Amino acid sequence: MLLWIGTIGMLLGTVAFIGLGLRAPAGSRYFYVITALITLIAFLSYLAMATGAGQTIVGDRVFYYARYVDWVFTTPLLLLDLALLALARPGRNIGLIGGIIVLDIVMILLGLWAGATAGGGRYVLWFLSTVAMVALLYIVVTRLFAAAESQTPAVQSVFKTLAVLTVILWSLYPVVWLVGAEGFNAIGQTGEVAGFLVLDLLAKVGFGFLLLTNRQALSDIAGAQRQSASSRVS
Ligand code: RET
């Protein structure tokens, strides 16, 4: 039931983002494509889990590995949205963007490995994954916040809202993991599914709405890019 709510929520998000994208401010359509892709991937992952696929038995619990397939693609795309908002010249910051994304993929893969492990060693892997998360959120808060200072007020404001939302929501994932079935099992399998459901809907659909309904910020970015492209030509 909860997994079906996730499936429908992600589908509605995808349809809404595509609809908004049809009326996107000129030159900003890529934000709509990236964000709709995030909810589309999550829709497929929730559909797999709701229909009984994407799961296996580890020890005495069900392990939904489909989540990690979703996250390994969608978390880099969320970070890409943030980086493209903060950085006036993303092309000149490939190292920074790549570094954040590599840390993110390491975080998800260590989490997948932790979840697939039955013994106590999974807590070591959980810890290493959390270290990667703290490092990547630290870079977002320092480097991307500093870079965003040179953007227009509308872009700065939406970037700050989304970055704070990201830091808060992402920090709760390892907590749900730890109290859920993968960890100490204090809230049980259902509690864990519910916890990740709320976080996934806020971090993907909530995030997407805040970003894609902010037409002023998106047209500022598209305008600035047109200007820097024409100044390079002349
Ligand atoms: C795991 C467990 C191991 C420790 C850590 C985790 C972090 C997961 C995160 C997931 C974010 C997912 C999002 C999905 C879609 O919106 C793998 C749970 C640190 C941060 C944002």
Side-chain angles (χ1 to χ4, degrees), residues 91-228:
R92 296 209 177 156
N93 290 281
I94 297 297
L96 174 61
I97 301 175
I100 295 176
I101 289 180
V102 166
L103 273 173
D104 175 64
I105 292 175
V106 167
M107 169 189 85
I108 300 297
L109 292 181
L110 284 169
L112 169 64
W113 191 7
T117 304
R122 68 185 189 281
Y123 294 111
V124 177
L125 296 163
W126 173 90
F127 177 76
L128 294 175
S129 173
T130 304
V131 170
M133 183 191 75
V134 170
L136 100 85
L137 293 179
Y138 177 77
I139 298 175
V140 168
V141 167
T142 53
R143 301 286 300 274
L144 291 188
F145 260 80
E149 294 298 329
S150 53
Q151 301 287 56
T152 64
V155 176
Q156 280 189 39
S157 137
V158 68
F159 169 77
K160 283 183 183 153
T161 307
L162 292 176
V164 169
L165 187 77
T166 297
V167 170
I168 295 172
L169 293 175
W170 288 38
S171 306
L172 293 172
Y173 278 88
V175 177
V176 170
W177 190 99
L178 208 56
V179 295
E182 269 107 321
F184 302 116
N185 204 11
I187 58 172
Q189 185 84 57
T190 311
E192 178 185 301
V193 171
F196 282 140
L197 172 68
V198 171
L199 291 178
D200 281 345
L201 286 174
L202 291 173
K204 292 188 169 87
V205 182
F207 179 104
F209 265 109
L210 287 174
L211 174 63
L212 301 181
T213 54
N214 204 315
R215 296 173 61 88
Q216 180 66 51
L218 296 177
S219 64
D220 282 358
I221 292 212
Q225 276 168 1
R226 266 196 303 278
Q227 259 175 17
S228 78

